[in-house]
């Protein structure tokens, strides 16, 4: 019998770049774009390319959704904006669906809702300039940020720093949280009850969340 060898996984160096973005309190949402044969009842729309037919699906945190079985109207919005959303390209695109009637509302009361893409290292909003993406490998081909579809937002970047960096002897995550508490949400200017931050470690490809309230409690106990 041949025993399967399992190599020890590579470790990312801790003192590497992090993106700190605002954690928006809405509901998780996603767009998936991939090859389609038209037979899946959950797909919302199709795009006919030269040699492939692409379908578009909308998801919540745990399931595919449709306008008839929706999550705060996200699937209906996605279907209505399919032409723009196909510009995201093939793959899974995760974000937060937020605004009027969802969690904190952020001061919106008249049905205003927004889809903010999580991958702020890749996307910028459609009216913002693109820029080179930092890379530690000098021989790697250059990569640049991309403009998001006009119907999408991108979670705001609050800081770009080393993971273990400090400001005035304060860990950078706590420093940014203090800024958010003092000045309010960046995603919704003037809203003074933001939720917190996401610290994304680029080299490790993993994110950590830190909230202004009840950060020491598991999510399921925060409302008890």
């Amino acid at each position: 019998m041949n025993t399967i060898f399992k190599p020890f996984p590579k470790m990312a160096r801790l003192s590497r770049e992090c993106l700190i973005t605002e954690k928006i309190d809405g509901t998780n949402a996603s767009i998936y774009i991939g090859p389609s044969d038209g037979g899946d009842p959950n797909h919302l729309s199709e795009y006919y390319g030269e040699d492939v037919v692409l379908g578009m699906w909308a998801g919540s945190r745990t399931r595919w959704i449709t306008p008839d079985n929706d999550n705060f109207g996200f699937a209906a919005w996605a279907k209505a904006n399919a032409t723009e959303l196909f510009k995201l390209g093939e793959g899974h695109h995760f974000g937060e669906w937020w605004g009027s009637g969802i969690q904190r509302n952020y001061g919106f009361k008249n049905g205003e809702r927004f889809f903010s893409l999580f991958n702020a290292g890749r996307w910028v909003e459609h009216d913002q300039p693109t820029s080179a993406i930092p890379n530690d490998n000098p021989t790697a081909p250059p990569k640049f940020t991309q403009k998001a579809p006009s119907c999408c937002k991108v979670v705001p970047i609050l800081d770009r720093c080393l993971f273990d960096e400090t400001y005035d002897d304060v860990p950078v995550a706590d420093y940014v949280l203090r800024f958010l508490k003092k000045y309010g949400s960046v995603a919704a200017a003037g809203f003074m009850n933001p939720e917190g931050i996401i610290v994304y470690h680029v080299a490790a490809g993993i994110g950590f969340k830190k909230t202004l309230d009840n950060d020491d409690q598991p999510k399921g106990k925060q409302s008890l």
Side-chain angles (χ1 to χ4, degrees), residues 15 35 63 97 108 122 160 172 187 198:
S15 297
R63 62 183 176 90
W97 180 238
F108 296 103
R122 174 182 178 182
R160 192 188 295 263
V172 64
I198 297 292

Side-chain angles (χ1 to χ4, degrees), residues 116-133:
S116 291
L117 293 162
F118 287 150
N119 194 347
R122 174 182 178 182
W123 300 106
V124 296
E125 295 190 8
H126 73 282
D127 58 352
Q128 298 299 309
T130 60
S131 60
I133 298 174

Side-chain angles (χ1 to χ4, degrees), residues 61-62 77 137 143 159 166 197 212 217:
R61 178 190 288 272
T62 58
W77 172 86
N137 183 357
K143 292 184 178 181
D159 205 342
T166 62
I197 59 174
L212 282 164
Q217 298 180 21

Side-chain angles (χ1 to χ4, degrees), residues 11-174:
M11 290 186 181
R13 292 184 181 272
L14 187 63
S15 297
R16 289 296 184 266
E17 183 190 39
C18 286
L19 293 180
I20 301 182
T21 58
E22 182 174 352
K23 186 179 188 304
I24 303 174
D25 189 15
T27 184
N28 282 151
S30 65
I31 296 293
Y32 173 68
I33 296 172
S36 171
D37 61 6
D40 189 337
N42 290 317
H43 91 285
L44 303 179
S45 184
E46 288 182 335
Y47 170 82
Y48 294 86
E50 292 183 2
D51 54 0
V52 67
V53 178
L54 296 177
M56 187 182 75
W57 289 257
S60 66
R61 178 190 288 272
T62 58
R63 62 183 176 90
W64 295 123
I65 55 178
T66 67
D68 295 327
N69 186 18
D70 215 334
N71 183 40
F72 292 102
F74 180 69
W77 172 86
K79 185 171 184 177
N81 290 276
T83 300
E84 273 295 300
L85 290 170
F86 271 115
K87 295 178 182 179
L88 290 167
E90 292 189 57
H92 290 274
H93 306 282
F94 296 95
E96 196 80 357
W97 180 238
W98 60 282
S100 177
I102 308 175
Q103 302 295 356
R104 292 176 193 240
N105 297 292
Y106 287 84
F108 296 103
K109 301 178 181 179
N110 299 309
E112 310 96 321
R113 291 177 179 174
F114 313 95
F115 181 51
S116 291
L117 293 162
F118 287 150
N119 194 347
R122 174 182 178 182
W123 300 106
V124 296
E125 295 190 8
H126 73 282
D127 58 352
Q128 298 299 309
T130 60
S131 60
I133 298 174
N135 193 325
D136 291 335
N137 183 357
T139 64
K143 292 184 178 181
F144 296 86
T145 55
Q146 298 171 254
K147 289 181 180 287
S150 60
C151 59
C152 297
K153 291 181 175 293
V154 182
V155 292
I157 295 178
L158 305 179
D159 205 342
R160 192 188 295 263
C161 56
L162 296 180
F163 185 79
D164 52 0
E165 193 164 341
T166 62
Y167 296 151
D168 298 328
D169 294 325
V170 177
V172 64
D174 293 327

